[in-house]
Amino acid sequence: MSSDPTQAIAVDVVIFGGGVAGLWLLNRLRKAGYQAVLLEADRLGTGQTRYAQGIIHGGTKYALTGKLTGSSEAIAEMPAIWRACLSGEGELDLRTVKRLSTNQFMWSTESLTSRMAGFFASKLMRSRTGTVEGEERPEVFRNPAFKGHVYRLEEPVLDTASLVEALAEPQRDAIFRIPGSDGMRMLRTEEGWQVNLIEGERRVRFNAKRLVFAAGKGNAALLKQVGRETPPMQLRPLNMVMVRGGKGKPLPGTLYAHCLGASANPRITITTHFDAHDNRVWYIGGQIAEEGVDREHDEQVAAAKKELAELFPWLDLSVAQWGTLPIDRAEPRMPDGSRPDNVFVDEHDGIITAWPTKLALSPRLAAVIIEKIQQDGVQPMENGTLPEWPHPDYAPLPWQEEERWN
């Protein structure tokens, strides 16, 4: 009689990474009949997912230089795919996801370059764009001092925490926590790969036909664990800013908008969220986050105050509270360090390494990976019993962590 306490489970695919990309793929694979499981070393939604602004881009912001880029072409179909899912009529049922806004906005300032960017974006993009006037504008643009133009974009904005939960809850039986820093081993076999989870006396072994590394920044460590350095990864940092009202002066309404500038990046991107005390929070990215990566906290806050004062001089932020969020975007390495235009999928020796490059492209990433698995002739096995093993918790959104605020 064998004394090996390991519970061995045969599966088609083991996915690493519990962000939106990995969870979307898990849902699609299981819906297609594959025996798939997902492993997460931290909490679900940790990493780039919880720092995302939740905008399901249709590509308008990538056309601001007056021509369609690879990014705008690749992402143009995404809002329609997501909207179908949000209504329960798409490839996944996301009706429980909280929609922060059914659309977002772009606005131009009085400057010529900003107004020209708005003209080009509205003319060139396939996603519907319309000018917004009067009471249809977000509250902050109704001030008489505002002299720019406002455009509506048919691109929804989602609460990423509810998105993670909507993707994870139907698949909880197939989502498992990787224990500790040394609680997992991956071994190559003649049939595929073994993934061993070890916690004390407990052992689980997944015998998999394919592994999918969809762990964002964590892909580098996973590749290293199996003795590989490729595909190489690059990190593009951001220094995001949060601001909330204080002492009886809340922020003026909700805002989900890009400010047009002269470059391919928005001058500033603002989305609205709520902290643990239900205070309204503006979460700020765009060019200020790109340029602020080398600034210390106080310097970045000062830059954000200056930018908002120029854009909204009528807005009183004298008692507002501020926070900064330095983050890294993980992507495949590009020769010139630029932003990738599309999803990235690489397969070598039974391991698929993938980056969506943008939250909105997660459905596209899943489709490309499934097509690759099917082309390789991997047929779904009969579903068996999954192990009793701890499941990861959900990560909170960063603006709901009080220690983030100055």
Side-chain angles (χ1 to χ4, degrees):
M1 181 179 295
S2 173
S3 60
D4 185 0
T6 302
Q7 182 181 4
I9 307 293
V11 298
D12 294 308
V13 182
V14 174
I15 303 165
F16 294 83
V20 170
L23 289 167
W24 197 290
L25 176 61
L26 177 65
N27 278 267
R28 286 291 314 278
L29 282 170
R30 298 191 85 193
K31 188 174 181 180
Y34 286 96
Q35 178 84 319
V37 297
L38 182 146
L39 306 181
E40 170 57 52
D42 202 329
R43 294 171 293 182
L44 295 174
T46 298
Q48 285 178 249
T49 289
R50 78 178 188 135
Y51 292 110
Q53 291 186 281
I55 301 170
I56 307 303
H57 291 292
T60 305
K61 75 171 189 174
Y62 302 120
L64 302 185
T65 54
K67 63 180 180 179
L68 289 176
T69 65
S71 292
S72 59
E73 291 283 13
I75 207 169
E77 63 185 3
M78 288 300 109
I81 291 174
W82 282 83
R83 286 185 186 278
C85 294
L86 292 167
S87 66
E89 300 173 353
E91 60 190 49
L92 300 180
D93 186 350
L94 299 182
R95 285 176 292 179
T96 61
V97 175
K98 180 181 178 182
R99 273 183 266 197
L100 299 176
S101 179
T102 57
N103 57 269
Q104 62 160 325
F105 298 89
M106 292 191 306
W107 86 92
S108 63
T109 64
E110 291 184 272
S111 74
L112 176 62
T113 54
S114 183
R115 285 188 283 115
M116 288 301 292
F119 171 79
F120 283 127
S122 63
K123 293 296 182 184
L124 286 171
M125 288 312 302
R126 289 175 297 188
S127 57
R128 186 158 56 89
T129 324
T131 304
V132 181
E133 302 289 349
E135 293 299 311
E136 293 185 355
R137 291 178 172 181
E139 181 179 339
V140 74
F141 299 124
R142 299 174 200 165
N143 191 289
F146 177 71
K147 302 300 182 184
H149 297 279
V150 180
Y151 309 90
R152 179 185 288 109
L153 307 180
E154 299 303 322
E155 301 172 356
V157 186
L158 309 181
D159 174 74
T160 56
S162 68
L163 173 59
V164 168
E165 189 170 340
L167 291 169
E169 281 302 310
Q171 313 297 341
R172 288 293 285 180
D173 65 318
I175 300 174
F176 305 104
R177 178 176 56 81
I178 298 174
S181 59
D182 58 352
M184 182 186 71
R185 299 286 186 274
M186 291 180 282
L187 300 172
R188 188 74 171 99
T189 69
E190 291 184 2
E191 294 77 24
W193 285 88
Q194 285 184 1
V195 180
N196 296 277
L197 301 182
I198 306 164
E199 189 168 47
E201 299 299 317
R202 303 170 66 190
R203 305 282 194 278
V204 166
R205 177 187 302 135
F206 294 107
N207 297 312
K209 301 173 186 175
R210 293 290 185 276
L211 305 183
V212 177
F213 293 168
K217 187 177 178 179
N219 280 357
L222 290 168
L223 288 166
K224 183 178 181 180
Q225 189 168 337
V226 296
R228 297 183 188 170
E229 296 181 353
T230 58
M233 182 181 74
Q234 69 184 27
L235 298 177
R236 287 193 304 117
L238 292 173
N239 195 3
M240 304 290 284
V241 179
M242 306 181 298
V243 58
R244 65 183 180 185
K247 296 182 181 178
K249 291 185 177 180
L251 296 174
T254 57
L255 181 61
Y256 306 94
H258 304 295
C259 178
L260 301 173
S263 74
N265 289 327
R267 176 176 173 179
I268 195 170
T269 297
I270 301 175
T271 53
T272 306
H273 310 270
F274 292 87
D275 67 12
H277 307 290
D278 209 31
N279 297 306
R280 190 177 292 125
V281 175
W282 281 2
Y283 186 35
I284 303 171
Q287 197 65 32
I288 189 171
E290 301 262 4
E291 295 175 349
V293 296
D294 294 324
R295 298 181 186 132
E296 297 296 330
H297 169 82
D298 289 346
E299 295 175 307
Q300 181 68 341
V301 168
K305 288 179 178 180
K306 181 175 181 293
E307 186 76 338
L308 291 179
E310 291 180 3
L311 293 171
F312 309 121
W314 55 89
L315 192 59
D316 181 4
L317 296 175
S318 60
V319 295
Q321 295 176 309
W322 301 82
T324 55
L325 294 174
I327 63 175
D328 287 318
R329 292 166 294 181
E331 304 162 340
R333 185 182 300 168
M334 304 297 288
D336 59 355
S338 62
R339 176 177 53 215
D341 282 339
N342 210 331
V343 300
F344 177 89
V345 176
D346 171 86
E347 182 179 10
H348 178 72
D349 200 21
I351 295 179
I352 297 172
T353 306
W355 287 279
T357 70
K358 303 171 187 67
L359 172 73
L361 285 170
S362 295
R364 183 179 181 89
L365 183 74
V368 172
I369 292 173
I370 291 173
E371 181 180 8
K372 184 173 289 292
I373 289 172
Q374 292 173 339
Q375 288 176 345
D376 288 346
V378 178
Q379 298 296 319
M381 67 173 60
E382 184 176 343
N383 288 345
T385 303
L386 293 173
E388 293 292 329
W389 192 264
H391 304 293
D393 296 327
Y394 293 104
L397 295 171
W399 41 86
Q400 295 175 340
E401 299 172 310
E402 197 61 29
E403 64 270 20
R404 301 277 189 168
W405 294 94
N406 182 18

